[in-house]
Amino acid sequence: GDVLTAVPGVWTPTGGDDTYAWEQAEAVEGPWVTIANATSATYQTVAGDVGMLIRAKVTVTQDDVTASMESNSLGPITAA
């Protein structure tokens, strides 16, 4: 499958810890479901993603404050 890469962007203030989750849905309005064990900045699509939309969710934590942002969705994913 294709390799997708999440770029966290710039958070203010800087210096927080970024975590990643990849999500899939059948439609843009969801529901969005977290893909098990997909927790790095990259994600390689698999056969189970075919026909689905994929997006990345980046969460940053700094000084006990947490904020999250989702990417635009990609897809629907086609057969590899």
Side-chain angles (χ1 to χ4, degrees), residues 44-78:
Q44 185 166 2
T45 59
V46 298
D49 297 324
V50 172
M52 303 294 280
L53 300 173
I54 303 287
R55 72 179 182 187
K57 181 176 183 179
V58 180
T59 302
V60 64
T61 302
Q62 182 177 15
D63 299 328
D64 297 324
V65 176
T66 300
S68 296
M69 179 67 77
E70 294 86 16
S71 70
N72 292 329
S73 60
L74 299 171
I77 303 300
T78 57

Side-chain angles (χ1 to χ4, degrees), residues 12-38:
T12 302
T14 60
D17 295 318
D18 296 331
T19 58
Y20 300 88
W22 292 87
E23 302 174 328
Q24 67 176 201
E26 293 181 1
V28 173
E29 58 274 0
W32 288 91
V33 177
T34 301
I35 300 170
N37 301 313

